[in-house]
Amino acid sequence: MQIIYDANNWLRRRFEVGCSVQTCYAEVRANPGTIVFDGAHALKRRRNLYPGYKLRRQLPTTSIFEHFKMFEEACQWLDVALVRVPEWEADDVIATLVRSANDDIHIKSTDVDFLQLPNVKLDREKPAPEEPKFLRTYKAVVGDPSDNIPGFKSFGKGGWAKLTADDKEQRESFLKEETQYLPDNLPTATKNWLEEPENKTLVRTFYDIVGLYDVPMDDIIANTKIGVSAPEKFQEQIKRFIL
């Protein structure tokens, strides 16, 4: 099974429980894989569609940013591929790599979005809010606080729990613009809200941005750096940071 590290997610979790850069280095050295960071201006693509995307997400502390930087430099002394594609989020790069793989992938991440992909294992223990088939539709309809997506007006988890599989498929078809008819079994406030053309466009935008995009493989290759296993060089690097 191949390993892909969702760097921001994995590193943040490790640092928040007190792990050091040295510990993270040792873990990746023991279990090498592809390490993917968000590229510069990674949120731009989705914020052009929905300016509120991830707007309320809490930023890592300065100390964690510094640790990210230290670890990224350390990757040159690991036998791994480091990927950071400008204007692309790590999620999209990882999704593209998974779709092109002929093997099961262990994604070192707790991000439920990856369950949209086939043949993946996550570090996640908490169950997903919906089965993979309808996960994208669920997030567009119910909302996703982590991405600052509100979903349908006056329709939350309680409403979703009452839906049949046919109801969910109706919502998916509506969001994919396969039909212009509103789904059945909507609260009156939700139905009235969705009848406004701008709100139809808005929820279809939600469906778009909670999906995982395909990144041109040429861009991924052009922005991949291959490291070399050299722990002695890593120790020299750490001494520079510490001093």
Side-chain angles (χ1 to χ4, degrees):
M1 180 177 286
Q2 298 181 46
I3 296 176
I4 299 179
Y5 290 84
D6 177 7
N8 290 58
N9 180 290
W10 181 74
L11 285 172
R12 185 169 185 164
R13 288 185 291 117
R14 302 305 286 142
F15 293 149
E16 285 179 346
V17 297
C19 291
S20 65
V21 173
Q22 292 95 320
T23 298
C24 294
Y25 177 91
E27 288 184 22
V28 176
R29 188 171 178 229
N31 298 282
T34 301
I35 301 174
V36 185
F37 280 92
D38 286 340
H41 309 295
L43 302 182
K44 178 180 177 181
R45 190 177 308 276
R46 286 178 170 87
R47 281 190 175 166
N48 283 342
L49 299 173
Y50 173 55
Y53 177 67
K54 290 187 177 179
L55 200 58
R56 298 178 184 174
R57 180 172 289 192
Q58 185 177 0
L59 293 174
T61 64
T62 301
S63 60
I64 289 183
F65 270 129
E66 292 170 349
H67 281 72
F68 281 177
K69 181 179 178 181
M70 290 169 63
F71 181 80
E72 185 171 357
E73 184 172 325
C75 288
Q76 66 184 307
W77 310 123
L78 283 165
D79 185 17
V80 299
L82 173 67
V83 187
R84 186 191 282 275
V85 184
E87 298 189 6
W88 286 102
E89 294 188 62
D91 292 10
D92 299 313
V93 175
I94 292 170
T96 303
L97 293 174
V98 169
R99 289 170 180 145
S100 66
N102 296 317
D103 194 7
D104 292 344
I105 305 291
H106 180 182
I107 304 176
K108 292 283 191 174
S109 178
T110 57
D111 191 339
V112 70
D113 287 344
F114 291 126
L115 294 179
Q116 299 176 53
L117 301 169
N119 305 318
V120 297
K121 172 187 174 183
L122 299 182
D123 294 338
R124 185 182 178 89
E125 296 179 0
K126 185 178 179 180
E130 178 53 59
E131 62 176 303
K133 177 181 178 181
F134 292 119
L135 183 58
R136 183 176 177 184
T137 301
Y138 171 88
K139 294 182 72 174
V141 171
V142 175
D144 181 5
S146 67
D147 287 346
N148 195 32
I149 292 172
F152 286 12
K153 181 180 180 180
S154 303
F155 194 95
K157 294 179 181 179
W160 181 270
K162 298 175 184 177
L163 299 180
T164 66
D166 285 344
D167 290 333
K168 294 174 184 178
E169 287 177 356
Q170 277 191 356
R171 281 151 179 75
E172 185 172 271
S173 293
F174 172 74
L175 291 167
K176 293 168 71 173
E177 298 189 63
E178 294 174 347
T179 177
Q180 293 301 315
Y181 293 106
L182 294 182
D184 296 332
N185 301 323
L186 290 171
T188 300
T190 306
K191 181 179 179 181
N192 291 340
W193 183 77
L194 282 175
E195 285 176 343
E196 298 295 331
E198 65 269 22
N199 294 328
K200 283 185 181 180
T201 300
L202 181 63
V203 295
R204 286 165 172 164
T205 298
F206 294 160
Y207 184 79
D208 180 4
I209 65 178
V210 299
L212 294 167
Y213 298 164
D214 283 315
V215 181
M217 190 58 72
D218 286 348
D219 289 351
I220 294 177
I221 293 170
N223 290 280
T224 298
K225 298 177 182 178
I226 307 298
V228 177
S229 181
E232 69 284 355
K233 296 288 188 181
F234 168 68
Q235 292 303 325
E236 292 176 10
Q237 170 198 328
I238 287 297
K239 287 178 182 178
R240 293 199 310 275
F241 274 110
I242 294 175
L243 293 175

